[in-house]
Amino acid sequence: MNKKLIVANWKMNPTTEKAAVLLAKQVDFKGVVICPPFEFLNRVGAGLKKASLGAQDVFWKEQGAFTGEISPLMLKDADVKYVIIGHSERRALGETDEMINLKIKASLRAGPKVILCVGEPLAVRRRGLSAARSFVLNQLKSDLRGVSDRRNVLVAYEPIWAISTSGTGLTDTPEKAGQMAEYIKKSLPGIKVLYGGSVTSKNAASFVKYPGLYGALVGGASLRAAEFKKIIKAAAGQ
Ligand code: PGA
């Protein structure tokens, strides 16, 4: 039985539905959330028996003239249980805290649980842990403004510089990630916190062993079935 939640963020991978369905089948375990690209949600979801389906983004309106966007009602219809909102890769493309706040509210109205990503850039972390904490707290305050019922909100703490594709080659330590999780939980009582950023089969256990960490958000390593299975196993052993 897997007590910790392991979320696979496939980002814009793989490039075919066939590969997506195959990968999902190989990592279809309890306590796992698989977030494929929108295009593969239905087919991947149809093949899942134990894992839950997640999406990587959502729009804040239910329907209408919003070319290219995906409504929270569409996610609900596709049986999506979780939606990642505010990933740093989307923030880097211009997504603001105001947009993230609207997306969170719209998702909570429609149904999917929210995985809100927060995390500081390297320049902030270099100023120290308390600077990182203030940065994250400011994001949380803006992103969750007016969201009083947070039962269906999870926070993923992802220091931007620790994400495997950030180019820094740096990783956070489980101790510091655990401390940040405690800080977030103190600021938002009752909230569940995941850690994300270069989680692999080698370090997964050392992150999720922290009682303050409810699980992990995994990018690159979730695209390799054997590697991701080891992460799931490591988390289950906690
Ligand atoms: P990573 O990505 O595991 O490849 O560092 C995590 C994320 O960006 O969510």
Side-chain angles (χ1 to χ4, degrees), residues 15 25 87-88 94 97 130 139 151 156 169 185 196 199 218:
T15 53
K25 278 202 174 124
H87 192 280
S88 58
D97 287 313
S130 79
Q139 282 186 320
R151 275 174 300 177
K185 286 160 77 77
V199 172
V218 186

Side-chain angles (χ1 to χ4, degrees), residues 7-11 84 87-89 117 156 158-160 162-166 195-200 217-223 231:
V7 183
N9 176 13
W10 287 358
K11 308 189 179 182
I84 296 172
H87 192 280
S88 58
E89 287 154 13
C117 296
E158 299 203 298
I160 299 173
I163 291 175
S164 65
T165 48
S166 68
Y195 172 74
S198 298
V199 172
T200 64
L217 178 51
V218 186
S222 72
L223 294 169
I231 294 176

Side-chain angles (χ1 to χ4, degrees), residues 60-124:
W60 59 81
K61 294 280 192 183
E62 294 192 342
Q63 69 179 106
F66 303 102
T67 302
E69 299 292 355
I70 305 283
S71 148
L73 295 180
M74 296 171 189
L75 296 187
K76 188 171 182 238
D77 186 60
D79 214 15
V80 166
K81 302 287 191 245
Y82 293 85
V83 57
I84 296 172
I85 296 180
H87 192 280
S88 58
E89 287 154 13
R90 297 217 54 84
R91 293 181 190 255
L93 289 172
E95 197 162 296
T96 63
D97 287 313
E98 288 72 27
M99 291 157 79
I100 289 165
N101 178 255
L102 291 172
K103 290 180 174 194
I104 292 171
K105 288 176 177 162
S107 298
L108 293 176
R109 271 196 303 273
K113 290 186 185 176
V114 168
I115 300 173
L116 166 63
C117 296
V118 294
E120 79 286 356
L122 189 54
V124 170

Side-chain angles (χ1 to χ4, degrees), residues 118-140 157-161 172 176-177 179-181 183-184 187:
V118 294
E120 79 286 356
L122 189 54
V124 170
R125 180 63 165 255
R126 287 212 162 116
R127 297 208 301 268
L129 283 181
S130 79
R133 281 198 288 268
S134 318
F135 186 93
V136 166
L137 187 62
N138 278 334
Q139 282 186 320
L140 289 168
Y157 170 58
E158 299 203 298
I160 299 173
W161 49 272
D172 205 0
K176 287 183 179 147
Q179 281 168 20
M180 183 63 94
Y183 175 74
I184 293 170
S187 313

